[in-house]
Amino acid sequence: MEFFIDTADIEEIRQAKELGILDGVTTNPSLMAKTGKNTRKVLEEICALVQGPVSAEVLATDKEGILKEAHELVKIADNIVIKVPLISDGLKAVRVLASEGIQTNVTLCFSATQALMAAKAGATYISPFIGRLDDLSQTGMELIEDIVAIYQNYQFETKILVASIRHPVHVKEAAILGADVATIPFSVFDKLIQHPLTDSGLAKFLSDAKKIPLS
Ligand code: G3P
């Protein structure tokens, strides 16, 4: 399973990278807005830091506008992945970008049929937003289960990138279902590692070790 970080904050990306398990980055316009900086500059900084895929979202909602923005964004770095909303014009643009060898991440996916359409269009990644479904009392993880089954039935190459992750259980369940990627907020990365029994166990080992000579 690949781990991406879901942020545009360069400091958070730097810290996640130090863990040695970071495979890529996803951004979106809301995450960009939080930085208060110029989008292109932020993307340049991220791509200089991370070799893996970096998703950059288009703002246009018509096919031609999406293609124009995509062609500008890919000039930033070789590892840019074009993030496109799951709308008709978005899928038309994805088809063209796929034929040009440009990687895409189809975002704002909330149903299995949307994911099927994105795969048919040739998306590199599909981003189902599980946390936002949970927020509406639906079960986001059931969507992942459905997409895994559909993609396996037809051997689609589109990778399932689980997005809108809120806590470690989302990561665990996505891994059990065999999702390809989890894009994880910075706050959740640490929680994947921590356990109070690890901390208390380590403290006990270290204090017991002091009771006898080392050699
Ligand atoms: O990057 C897309 C997605 O992960 C957004 O998450 O928390 O805004 O629903 P959230």
Side-chain angles (χ1 to χ4, degrees):
M1 182 183 220
E2 289 187 299
F3 276 4
F4 292 1
I5 187 166
D6 197 27
T7 185
D9 184 312
I10 201 77
E11 199 38 51
E12 290 184 353
I13 296 168
R14 194 167 281 125
Q15 286 186 42
K17 193 186 168 189
E18 275 172 16
L19 280 175
I21 45 84
L22 186 65
D23 299 300
V25 179
T26 52
T27 68
N28 64 37
S30 305
L31 295 170
M32 281 292 175
K34 277 191 202 166
T35 70
K37 295 196 253 172
N38 170 292
T39 296
R40 194 181 170 93
K41 221 176 149 33
V42 173
L43 289 169
E44 283 169 357
E45 278 183 62
I46 297 173
C47 291
L49 190 63
V50 176
Q51 273 85 56
V54 175
S55 289
E57 191 156 341
V58 295
L59 299 177
T61 54
D62 63 296
K63 178 187 166 192
E64 292 313 320
I66 292 170
L67 290 174
K68 191 162 173 263
E69 264 187 73
H71 292 141
E72 280 307 309
L73 287 167
V74 291
K75 288 181 193 159
I76 295 174
D78 290 345
N79 52 338
I80 287 280
V81 174
I82 305 301
K83 209 167 175 188
V84 178
L86 212 160
I87 54 177
S88 299
D89 271 52
L91 295 188
K92 289 177 200 165
V94 165
R95 168 54 62 212
V96 175
L97 293 169
S99 73
E100 295 172 344
I102 295 174
Q103 297 211 315
T104 54
N105 173 358
V106 175
T107 189
L108 290 165
C109 172
F110 294 97
S111 78
T113 53
Q114 286 182 314
L116 176 57
M117 295 302 275
K120 292 283 289 176
T124 315
Y125 298 95
I126 182 71
S127 285
F129 277 28
I130 57 167
R132 292 191 193 184
L133 284 170
D134 289 356
D135 291 345
L136 294 184
S137 303
Q138 296 183 34
T139 308
M141 210 46 74
E142 282 175 9
L143 174 58
I144 303 302
E145 205 174 340
D146 288 348
I147 300 172
V148 168
I150 291 169
Y151 283 11
Q152 274 174 2
N153 284 346
Y154 302 101
Q155 283 92 48
F156 282 119
E157 285 176 12
T158 302
K159 288 186 175 181
I160 303 169
L161 191 166
V162 180
S164 188
I165 281 176
R166 304 266 196 265
H167 49 70
V169 178
H170 277 154
V171 179
K172 182 190 84 170
E173 290 179 346
I176 289 170
L177 290 172
D180 300 284
V181 188
T183 190
I184 305 169
F186 181 71
S187 58
V188 176
F189 261 101
D190 238 16
K191 293 182 187 156
L192 291 173
I193 299 167
Q194 285 171 9
H195 197 287
L197 290 179
T198 304
D199 296 341
S200 59
L202 179 61
K204 176 91 169 77
F205 284 158
L206 295 179
S207 74
D208 286 347
K210 283 186 193 144
K211 295 173 187 165
I212 48 167
L214 261 185
S215 55

